[in-house]
Amino acid sequence: MDIFLDMDGPLADFVGGAVRVHRRTDVLDHWPAGVYDLQQVLGLPTVSALWGPIDHHGREFWAGLQKTPWCDEIVELASAAAESVRIVTTPSHDPASLAGKLDWLNRHFGRPFLDYVMTPAKYLLAAPDRLLIDDCNENVDQFLAAGGKAILFPRPLNRLHRQAHDPMFYVRRELADVKKTPT
Ligand SMILES: [Mg+2]
């Protein structure tokens, strides 16, 4: 089996970085259950009101995102379970996002880091022996619909928000199930 690990959410704390830029870390304490749309959570009038301040920080916004508390464990778990592990991530519309994300991977996993895919269309990677671990409901649904396996990484912003207090408990159990299921 090959595993594709989503970067923002499971590995890099994108939401934490974004709410800090907007000086709205208060939303982390009372996140509306299952709401993925950051513009909605922050009550911003437009898409550019959300992305403008983030884009202003450019490449370093992405390069400087904090590692999540689960990052190392999820990478270890995936590496033990799969023949190959790759990071899969969707850059923002700002070209600096691609560079900053690659900076982040090099910074945390060693340079040159080559095991990554940057694409807005993660479902194109789907195959019966490929597993996506991602915190976005739609990415998981599309990957499953395209014939792959997928585990939704529990976060307050997705439909597994009730499991978000201990996401690795859920992921460990689901991964054990996936490994038992014949492809
Ligand atoms: Mg994500």
Side-chain angles (χ1 to χ4, degrees):
M1 182 169 65
D2 301 313
I3 294 184
F4 292 90
L5 288 179
D6 173 30
M7 187 167 159
D8 290 325
L11 308 183
D13 185 16
F14 164 73
V15 168
V19 300
R20 258 189 295 280
V21 162
H22 282 275
R23 300 181 192 279
R24 286 294 312 279
T25 50
D26 60 290
V27 297
L28 297 175
D29 297 327
H30 47 85
W31 195 273
V35 179
Y36 189 84
D37 183 358
L38 200 51
Q39 183 192 333
Q40 185 186 334
V41 173
L42 294 175
L44 296 168
T46 59
V47 174
S48 50
L50 170 65
W51 288 103
I54 293 172
D55 293 349
H56 177 75
H57 289 264
R59 180 169 172 169
E60 188 49 36
F61 169 81
W62 300 97
L65 291 179
Q66 285 179 11
K67 217 160 132 174
T68 66
W70 322 280
C71 178
D72 293 335
E73 188 183 352
I74 191 171
V75 169
E76 247 171 68
L77 197 66
S79 306
E83 281 107 74
S84 83
V85 178
R86 284 192 172 75
I87 313 300
V88 60
T89 186
T90 304
S92 78
H93 294 182
D94 181 2
S97 170
L98 283 103
K101 280 173 174 285
L102 189 52
D103 286 337
W104 192 93
L105 292 168
N106 281 320
R107 197 174 280 185
H108 293 284
F109 299 128
R111 182 187 299 265
F113 185 80
L114 303 173
D115 297 328
Y116 68 89
V117 183
M118 295 203 195
T119 175
K122 295 180 183 177
Y123 65 88
L124 292 173
L125 300 166
D129 60 344
R130 291 178 172 184
L131 170 72
L132 173 70
I133 301 178
D134 198 291
D135 70 347
C136 172
N137 293 334
E138 284 74 29
N139 287 344
V140 161
D141 294 344
Q142 288 176 1
F143 206 86
L144 289 168
K149 296 177 168 41
I151 296 173
L152 184 64
F153 188 84
R155 299 297 295 130
L157 49 65
N158 63 37
R159 63 181 171 239
L160 291 179
H161 51 86
R162 282 183 194 84
Q163 277 93 323
H165 62 282
D166 189 1
M168 289 311 296
F169 177 81
Y170 178 85
V171 170
R172 278 192 297 268
R173 199 184 56 197
E174 291 295 303
L175 192 57
D177 279 355
V178 168
K179 284 198 292 185
K180 272 185 259 164
T181 318
T183 49

